[in-house]
């Protein structure tokens, strides 16, 4: 038998569920414990932020909200590996990556609170990132297009897209990795496989044993990592970003994690999945293992944890207040950004809508 | 000065803008070495290289989504859908992102892109190659829908479309791609978007149309003139945002209106114009508004397609019906 091509998919993990180091050689960034503490702190603040968001939805202060509970290592790992000049195109729950890149919690609240200004991120580098993409998978092609722009202009920048296990079934995802392979684009596609696309489990999305291997068909570098292990996510991201930046092409990273929350606040996951499965997933969640590792290294303890959580609470309360005090946009806002200039015909509708305001 | 066809005017506009603006790129299927299946991009890859004139993988969704990505990063992409009938996979990216990006980010990100597509029937093409579906796009806010009807307007409007800060769907009536030539100076002068062009002045009836049907309407006006009927012909050119004032002014003058388009009748863009006339010009009308359109069927394969497309005779008959009402 002759073989036309042969492939394998590496699986990467540094920390197991208990926070035990399963590989001896740590990547450079992980040797900097101060930095690892910073990443841990952001995972905590992401979780505090997320709990606050869900609570606000439950009390009628937010619309439907998509929680990121359980994804903290994957998202912070993605965001922290990127350079400021890179571009992030995400779906709608990657807050850990976004907070790292300067998105303010009040902006997230505004978006899910029904105000487009939440997409107008004020801080760099998030300011040049894409806004949340609700139509599943479509953002992958925006990242591919951005990567093409970087290649055309010969800029050492990388476009990163995040997608879920369900999203990796979409043609937009396949199209993005396909053109990235064909044109050798600086694209890193991260499949954050949280096992559930609303009520549909991972095994119904694809017969492939890994989702990472989808990238093989496109000619990309592929790896599967423990998505609850931030060291593994960050390392895979750094490698993929470096490859892309140095002209060696795109990558697909599958970060295997678990959606500990409902799909959104409008969903009730108890309808379709076993409590036992969720309980098992909680045992592998990302925050606990990193804490155990940092505590063992002597750079973290309960007192610091309590102090930081208190700081996060204060931060989020501040953000919540800022959000709640934001006045609605004037009715004219819906007209004013539809085109660069309001066309004459649309201006008449704008005038009419405005006239209703004074009645 | 050279006389050129409509398709050559498209090429001339692309070449001009690419030479004067490094951010302009062309992408699509077969746009590179082959110069496009209609030769709209012929010679461009030789001049501007394989990255600025990019042969994409054969996936319309990819073309549209990559176009959105390029445009948000400071490029001005001109994407080609090889035929209008193949544009459907692009619609999600156009409606959900290209046309929506500015408003959903409050102007932080924008999509100054052009989506070109050879449009309409009448060239004895295979199935799915003859669609006219501009009305599916005119209901999408944030988008411009533009149809040129002559070499000069193809050149001037395409330049304007590329320079426009918002996304433009640019439908090229392929039936008249090579129908006639005219002088089109390669001077980089754009024509205005968002305005109708009055191509022929008249006093008795207004013929409102766009794309390839401009030809039928001008011929109908000639035929009507022989019978002493004076028809004004308006090329709408930019369907949305609509310059209704020009149409209203004309219909106020003539009191009669025939709207001509080759897309199906029901909920075609002619319905919008008729509704606006009813809302704003009812008391100026001397006769019911007439529509001469494709039927509410899929455009048939080419043995029957000319029976589907509006003919000069149908336009003349409709104009006369409006005049029969005193």
């Amino acid at each position: 038998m002759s073989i036309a091509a042969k492939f394998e998919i590496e699986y990467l993990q540094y920390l197991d569920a208990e926070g035990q180091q399963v590989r001896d050689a740590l990547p450079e960034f992980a040797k900097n414990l101060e930095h690892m503490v910073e990443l841990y702190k952001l995972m905590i603040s992401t979780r505090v932020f997320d709990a606050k968001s869900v609570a606000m939805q439950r009390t009628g202060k937010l619309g439907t909200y998509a929680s990121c509970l359980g994804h903290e290592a994957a998202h912070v790992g993605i965001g922290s590996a990127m350079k400021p000049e890179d571009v992030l195109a995400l779906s709608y729950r990657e807050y850990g990556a976004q907070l790292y890149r300067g998105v303010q919690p009040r902006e997230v609240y505004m978006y899910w609170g029904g105000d487009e200004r939440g997409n107008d991120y004020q801080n760099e580098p998030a300011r040049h990132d894409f806004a949340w993409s609700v139509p599943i998978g479509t953002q992958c092609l925006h990242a591919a297009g951005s990567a093409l722009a970087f290649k055309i202009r010969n800029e050492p920048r990388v476009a990163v897209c995040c997608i879920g296990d369900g999203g990796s079934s979409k043609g937009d995802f396949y199209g993005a990795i396909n053109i990235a392979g064909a044109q050798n684009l600086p694209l890193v596609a991260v499949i954050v496989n949280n096992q559930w696309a609303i009520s549909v489990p991972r095994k119904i999305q694809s017969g492939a044993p890994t989702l990472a291997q989808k990238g093989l068909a496109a000619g990309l570098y592929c790896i599967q990592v423990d998505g609850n292990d931030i060291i593994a996510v960050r390392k895979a991201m750094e490698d993929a970003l470096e490859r892309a930046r140095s002209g060696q092409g795109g990558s697909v990273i599958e970060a295997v994690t678990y959606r500990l929350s409902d799909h959104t606040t409008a969903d009730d996951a108890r309808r379709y999945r076993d409590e036992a499965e969720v309980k098992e997933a909680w045992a592998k969640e990302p925050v606990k293992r990193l804490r155990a590792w940092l505590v063992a290294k002597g750079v973290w303890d309960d007192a610091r944890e309590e102090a930081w959580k208190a700081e996060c609470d204060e931060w989020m309360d501040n953000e919540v207040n800022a959000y709640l005090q934001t006045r609605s946009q004037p009715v004219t806002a819906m007209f004013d950004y539809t085109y660069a200039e309001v066309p004459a015909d649309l201006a008449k509708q704008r005038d009419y809508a405005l006239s209703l305001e004074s009645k | 000065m050279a006389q050129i066809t409509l398709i050559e005017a498209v090429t001339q506009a692309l070449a001009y803008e690419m030479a004067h603006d490094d951010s302009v790129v062309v992408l699509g299927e077969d746009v590179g070495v082959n110069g496009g299946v209609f030769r709209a991009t012929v010679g461009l890859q030789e001049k501007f290289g394989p990255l600025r004139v990019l042969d994409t993988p054969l996936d319309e969704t990819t073309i549209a989504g990559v176009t959105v990505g390029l445009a948000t990063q400071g490029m001005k992409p001109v994407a080609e859908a090889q035929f209008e009938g193949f544009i459907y996979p692009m619609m999600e990216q156009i409606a959900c992102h290209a046309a929506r990006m500015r408003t959903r980010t409050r102007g932080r990100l924008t999509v100054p892109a052009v989506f070109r597509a050879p449009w309409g029937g009448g060239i004895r093409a295979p199935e799915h190659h003859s669609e006219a579906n501009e009305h599916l796009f005119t209901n999408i806010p944030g988008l411009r829908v533009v149809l040129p009807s002559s070499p000069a307007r193809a050149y001037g409007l395409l330049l304007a479309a590329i320079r426009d800060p918002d996304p433009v769907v640019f439908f090229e009536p392929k039936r008249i791609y090579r129908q006639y030539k005219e002088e089109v100076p390669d001077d980089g002068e754009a024509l205005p978007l968002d305005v109708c062009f009055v191509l022929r002045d008249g006093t008795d009836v207004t013929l409102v149309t766009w794309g390839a049907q401009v030809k039928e309407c001008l011929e109908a006006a000639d035929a009507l003139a022989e019978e002493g009927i004076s028809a004004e012909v308006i090329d709408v050119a930019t369907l949305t945002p609509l310059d209704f004032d020009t149409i209203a002014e004309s219909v106020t003058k003539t009191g009669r209106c025939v709207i001509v388009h080759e897309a199906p009748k029901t909920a075609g863009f002619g319905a919008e114009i008729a509704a606006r006339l009813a809302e704003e010009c009812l008391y100026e009308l001397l006769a019911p508004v007439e529509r001469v359109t494709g039927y509410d069927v899929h455009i048939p394969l080419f043995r029957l397609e000319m029976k589907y497309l509006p003919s000069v005779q149908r336009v003349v008959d409709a104009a006369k019906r409006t005049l029969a009402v005193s």
Side-chain angles (χ1 to χ4, degrees):
Chain A
M1 185 180 65
S2 52
I3 306 292
K6 212 171 175 179
F7 307 100
E8 55 188 17
I9 300 292
E10 182 190 347
Y11 176 77
L12 187 64
Q13 186 193 42
Y14 287 92
L15 301 182
D16 68 12
E18 275 70 48
Q20 297 293 317
Q21 211 171 304
V22 296
R23 290 169 82 105
D24 288 336
L26 282 176
E28 274 312 303
F29 71 87
K31 293 174 188 164
N32 179 349
L33 292 175
E34 216 170 291
H35 182 61
M36 292 309 297
V37 165
E38 287 308 308
L39 296 185
Y40 177 73
K41 284 164 78 175
L42 184 55
M43 287 169 63
I44 294 292
S45 43
T46 301
R47 189 164 281 191
V48 172
F49 153 80
D50 192 66
K52 187 72 79 179
S53 306
V54 172
M56 281 210 290
Q57 191 279 333
R58 298 296 185 225
T59 52
K61 296 189 181 90
L62 276 190
T64 299
Y65 169 78
S67 165
C68 67
L69 187 63
H71 305 71
E72 296 85 354
H75 294 161
V76 174
I78 291 164
S80 67
M82 293 172 65
K83 289 193 174 180
E85 62 268 28
D86 297 337
V87 163
L88 181 60
L90 28 68
S91 60
Y92 43 73
R93 64 171 102 242
E94 296 88 341
Y95 313 113
Q98 291 188 297
L99 294 177
Y100 191 91
R101 288 177 66 76
V103 169
Q104 305 171 78
R106 70 186 68 178
E107 291 167 336
V108 187
Y109 299 147
M110 272 168 67
Y111 178 68
W112 293 110
D115 192 322
E116 290 86 352
R117 287 175 298 181
N119 281 335
D120 186 13
Y121 312 140
Q122 295 299 306
N123 297 332
E124 288 288 356
R127 188 152 178 78
H128 69 259
D129 287 342
F130 287 88
W132 296 287
S133 182
V134 177
I136 300 298
T138 50
Q139 73 277 8
C140 299
L141 286 166
H142 305 161
S146 302
L148 178 58
F150 302 154
K151 180 170 174 169
I152 291 170
R153 295 195 298 246
N154 202 20
E155 296 171 347
R157 301 167 66 187
V158 183
V160 175
C161 62
C162 297
I163 193 166
D165 40 312
S168 79
S169 297
K170 289 274 295 218
D172 300 67
F173 166 75
Y174 286 111
I177 61 172
N178 185 51
I179 193 170
Q183 292 292 336
N184 197 38
L185 300 181
L187 175 81
V188 176
V190 190
I191 303 169
V192 181
N193 170 8
N194 68 14
Q195 313 303 328
W196 290 93
I198 307 187
S199 68
V200 178
R202 154 66 181 87
K203 67 175 187 291
I204 289 181
Q205 295 299 336
S206 171
T210 72
L211 298 179
Q213 74 197 69
K214 293 187 177 195
L216 291 175
L220 302 191
Y221 171 76
C222 304
I223 186 168
Q224 187 189 62
V225 304
D226 183 338
N228 290 345
D229 171 10
I230 191 168
I231 300 177
V233 176
R234 168 74 175 260
K235 172 72 167 94
M237 277 298 294
E238 283 192 351
D239 290 350
L241 287 162
E242 173 53 29
R243 292 176 68 88
R245 213 179 302 283
S246 60
Q248 297 173 72
S251 298
V252 172
I253 298 171
E254 179 188 5
V256 181
T257 180
Y258 192 87
R259 194 192 79 210
L260 293 169
S261 65
D262 296 330
H263 166 66
T264 65
T265 50
D267 175 42
D268 179 2
R270 290 172 302 184
R271 289 170 56 83
Y272 51 79
R273 65 184 187 187
D274 284 344
E275 288 296 321
E277 180 188 299
V278 181
K279 201 175 165 192
E280 199 185 311
W282 267 107
K284 298 178 189 163
E285 67 93 12
V287 170
K288 191 185 71 173
R289 73 176 71 180
L290 183 59
R291 177 166 54 221
W293 186 73
L294 292 172
V295 168
K297 295 277 182 193
V299 291
W300 197 253
D301 55 33
D302 287 350
R304 281 179 240 200
E305 177 104 359
E306 289 315 305
W308 176 245
K309 278 186 173 166
E311 251 184 82
C312 289
D313 278 334
E314 200 185 322
W315 177 22
M316 296 313 154
D317 286 344
N318 211 19
E319 292 293 313
V320 168
N321 286 336
Y323 156 67
L324 293 175
Q325 284 164 21
T326 309
R327 297 180 58 176
S328 288
Q329 301 169 93
V331 69
T332 47
M334 74 171 95
F335 300 95
D336 291 346
Y337 299 93
T338 299
Y339 296 90
E341 285 176 40
V342 183
D345 214 36
L346 186 58
K348 292 174 195 163
Q349 296 180 15
R350 183 184 186 277
D351 290 344
Y352 171 72
L354 190 57
S355 75
L356 297 180
E357 295 296 290
S358 51
K359 281 187 179 163
Chain B
M1 195 181 303
Q3 302 255 328
I4 59 173
T5 61
L6 195 155
I7 185 83
E8 288 165 342
V10 168
T11 314
Q12 182 170 296
L14 291 171
Y16 182 94
E17 207 58 6
M18 292 190 81
H20 289 82
D21 183 347
D22 285 345
S23 64
V24 179
V25 295
V26 166
L27 67 160
E29 296 153 7
D30 305 296
V31 299
V33 177
N34 195 35
V37 293
F38 285 100
R39 308 291 176 258
T41 56
V42 76
L44 297 182
Q45 195 179 62
E46 279 173 23
K47 270 187 216 157
F48 303 106
L51 275 179
R52 285 186 68 199
V53 183
L54 186 83
D55 274 325
T56 64
L58 204 168
D59 178 37
E60 287 79 12
T61 307
T62 294
I63 297 169
V66 164
T67 295
V68 171
L70 282 165
T72 59
Q73 302 302 318
M75 306 300 287
K76 289 183 188 160
V78 182
E80 179 177 298
Q82 200 158 69
F83 286 87
E84 173 88 20
F86 304 154
I87 207 168
Y88 298 104
M90 292 184 158
M91 289 188 73
E92 182 181 32
Q93 287 287 349
I94 292 173
C96 297
H97 294 295
R100 198 180 175 103
M101 190 71 76
R102 178 187 295 280
T103 192
R104 73 184 295 266
T105 64
R106 301 284 96 151
R108 183 170 65 83
L109 298 173
T110 59
V111 181
V114 178
F115 299 89
R116 293 179 44 243
W119 166 98
I123 65 160
R124 300 175 64 81
E127 194 177 8
H128 301 291
H129 287 62
S130 301
E131 276 63 23
N133 53 24
E134 66 277 12
H135 49 288
L136 300 181
F137 295 86
T138 53
N139 201 236
I140 300 173
L143 201 60
R144 283 188 161 74
V145 179
V146 177
L147 286 105
S149 63
S150 73
R153 283 187 291 283
Y155 180 78
L157 291 173
L158 182 53
L159 285 177
I162 298 170
R163 293 170 193 172
D164 193 81
D166 292 306
V168 177
V169 177
F170 195 82
F171 291 138
E172 298 162 7
K174 58 182 175 288
R175 181 154 60 94
I176 58 170
Y177 259 162
R178 296 183 170 82
Q179 192 177 60
Y180 67 97
K181 294 185 175 190
E182 67 181 355
E183 275 187 14
V184 183
D186 192 13
D187 54 9
E189 287 291 318
L191 285 168
L193 299 172
D194 305 359
V195 298
C196 298
F197 296 90
V198 180
L199 300 184
R200 178 179 174 128
D201 290 326
T203 53
D204 297 328
V205 59
T206 303
L207 309 180
V208 177
T209 190
W210 51 89
Q213 275 61 50
V214 166
K215 171 181 173 279
E216 276 73 23
C217 286
L218 288 170
E219 287 176 17
D222 284 342
L224 290 163
E226 284 175 22
E227 300 185 43
I229 299 165
S230 165
E232 184 145 304
V233 178
I234 294 179
D235 174 8
V236 179
T238 302
L239 300 195
T240 48
L242 178 64
D243 166 23
F244 184 69
D245 291 350
T246 297
I247 297 170
E249 197 179 310
S250 173
V251 173
T252 299
K253 177 175 67 176
T254 62
R256 299 172 182 90
C257 185
V258 178
I259 303 161
V260 183
H261 63 69
E262 71 179 66
K265 184 171 193 173
T266 300
F269 195 67
E272 172 62 23
I273 295 174
R276 291 289 293 271
L277 287 168
E279 285 175 343
E280 300 178 37
C281 300
L282 188 64
Y283 300 114
E284 322 299 334
L285 286 168
L286 301 172
V289 171
E290 287 273 346
R291 282 185 286 166
V292 178
T293 68
Y295 303 112
D296 287 341
V297 300
H298 293 286
I299 185 167
L301 297 189
F302 60 80
R303 283 192 179 185
L304 285 180
E305 72 175 331
M306 296 315 288
K307 293 185 186 295
Y308 166 91
L309 294 172
S311 63
V312 174
Q313 191 58 52
R314 284 178 63 196
V315 177
V316 168
D317 290 350
K320 286 185 181 173
R321 280 196 299 273
T322 68
L323 283 147
V325 183
S326 56

